[in-house]
Amino acid sequence: MSLIEQVKQGRLPRHIAIIMDGNGRWAQMQGQERTFGHSQGVTPVREVIEGSAELGISYLTLYAFSTENWSRPRKEIDALMSLLVSTLNTELSTMVENNIRLRLIGDLERFSPDIYRDLMEGVHRTAGNSGLTVQIALSYSGRWDIMQAVRHIAGQVRDGALSPAELTEDLFARHLATAGVPDPELLIRTSGEVRISNFLLWQCAYTELYFTPTLWPDFRRDDLYRAILDYQHRERRFGKTSAQVQQNF
Ligand code: FPP
């Protein structure tokens, strides 16, 4: 049986998040500039979007640029920004045709007004779509997300609109950049690094983690299917006992 047929037989995650890592090392291994690795990272982005849409996954979150990435050399940041903008622009019509909704999460105010406008164009043009939601994390970090939520909430408490006793996990989550999106059931990280690296810290409380040595430019649809198959063979207990889970407690 093919990998996709096997995947279709099991329960699918609603939300998959991916830390796309290893572009720089991949390029250096070929004696190329790091930015070449980023440009080769576009093919797997397309593959995981198409693969997720075909399976009927509802949300796919891709970590494209972290808060910490702002400290990379200016030349690499600029190359990455123009690659992101040009890729999102060229893929826009495909996203519209395939009913894909684009969302951006992160501290977008740090981008120049031109880049911000170009990035938001895709968000506006796909806002009415109801198929797969692709969330691109840009200038994002989990601690930034938690801090901006705390700032909103502290302001509401100061203004008397909210009392500390009313603050619940659900209400907190509604102030995160991912508001309205369920937590990911599966987080994939490529390139052999075994860390969360300040990604969706609050949202990954119960997420199954999958690490693969494959470098991001080499990642293909079958690698996505393998990660989902691995997830399907795990038991998610949320702190309960195995017996409770099996009896649907
Ligand atoms: C990590 O590799 C990857 C990035 C910082 C950028 C990811 C961006 C893309 C794949 C471009 C296309 C994306 C979209 C959403 C259109 P690294 O540079 O940290 O690699 P290294 O760990 O080997 O140095």
Side-chain angles (χ1 to χ4, degrees):
M1 209 194 308
S2 69
L3 281 171
I4 186 164
E5 283 164 9
Q6 291 176 53
V7 167
K8 281 181 173 167
Q9 292 195 336
R11 85 205 127 94
L12 288 172
R14 263 194 307 170
H15 181 180
I16 299 176
I18 308 184
I19 302 179
M20 311 179 288
D21 198 10
N23 292 349
R25 274 165 286 164
W26 186 91
Q28 279 159 348
M29 278 162 63
Q30 332 257 329
Q32 301 268 6
E33 297 250 356
R34 296 175 51 81
T35 50
F36 179 67
H38 298 316
S39 62
Q40 296 304 299
V42 173
T43 300
V45 167
R46 216 174 275 130
E47 291 250 330
V48 294
I49 292 177
E50 287 170 7
S52 301
E54 193 185 335
L55 281 172
I57 306 281
S58 302
Y59 302 92
L60 176 69
T61 302
L62 304 174
Y63 205 5
F65 192 82
S66 70
T67 308
E68 292 75 20
N69 287 153
W70 285 112
S71 54
R72 290 201 174 183
R74 189 73 236 172
K75 199 174 130 217
E76 184 174 339
I77 296 177
D78 289 345
L80 202 43
M81 285 308 135
S82 57
L83 179 69
L84 283 164
V85 169
S86 65
T87 307
L88 293 177
N89 279 343
T90 49
E91 296 298 321
L92 193 53
S93 50
T94 317
M95 286 195 271
V96 172
E97 274 163 34
N98 290 286
N99 197 21
I100 291 171
R101 184 166 66 123
L102 178 69
R103 245 180 99 131
L104 301 177
I105 54 168
D107 189 4
L108 303 175
E109 285 169 16
R110 287 186 70 171
F111 291 105
S112 71
D114 300 6
I115 291 189
Y116 180 80
R117 196 197 48 232
D118 287 351
L119 292 170
M120 290 308 288
E121 157 110 23
V123 174
H124 295 135
R125 293 238 341 246
T126 61
N129 290 352
S130 56
L132 171 70
T133 295
V134 176
Q135 286 197 122
I136 312 272
L138 285 175
S139 188
Y140 180 88
S141 77
R143 287 187 179 176
W144 165 82
D145 200 359
I146 291 169
M147 285 309 299
Q148 63 82 28
V150 168
R151 258 182 234 115
H152 279 153
I153 291 166
Q156 293 190 348
V157 171
R158 180 202 54 208
D159 298 343
L162 182 75
S163 79
E166 286 171 317
L167 187 54
T168 59
E169 289 191 10
D170 278 350
L171 192 140
F172 187 83
R174 275 184 253 138
H175 289 267
L176 292 168
T178 49
V181 173
D183 291 342
E185 292 95 338
L186 172 63
L187 169 71
I188 300 170
R189 182 173 188 155
T190 59
S191 93
E193 305 291 346
V194 192
R195 288 187 294 278
I196 294 194
S197 293
N198 210 354
F199 195 24
L200 302 162
L201 295 180
W202 172 279
Q203 298 86 339
C204 281
Y206 287 104
T207 301
E208 296 293 334
L209 309 179
Y210 178 86
F211 299 102
T212 170
T214 303
L215 301 175
W216 180 250
D218 290 328
F219 197 87
R220 292 292 178 270
R221 241 177 236 239
D222 277 357
D223 298 295
L224 175 72
Y225 299 151
R226 278 187 205 101
I228 300 174
L229 277 173
D230 191 276
Y231 159 83
Q232 289 173 336
H233 291 114
R234 299 187 197 181
E235 182 184 64
R236 305 190 74 219
R237 295 212 297 270
F238 301 98
K240 296 178 183 173
T241 67
S242 190
Q244 283 175 311
V245 173
Q246 276 155 28
Q247 287 159 27
N248 241 338
F249 222 106

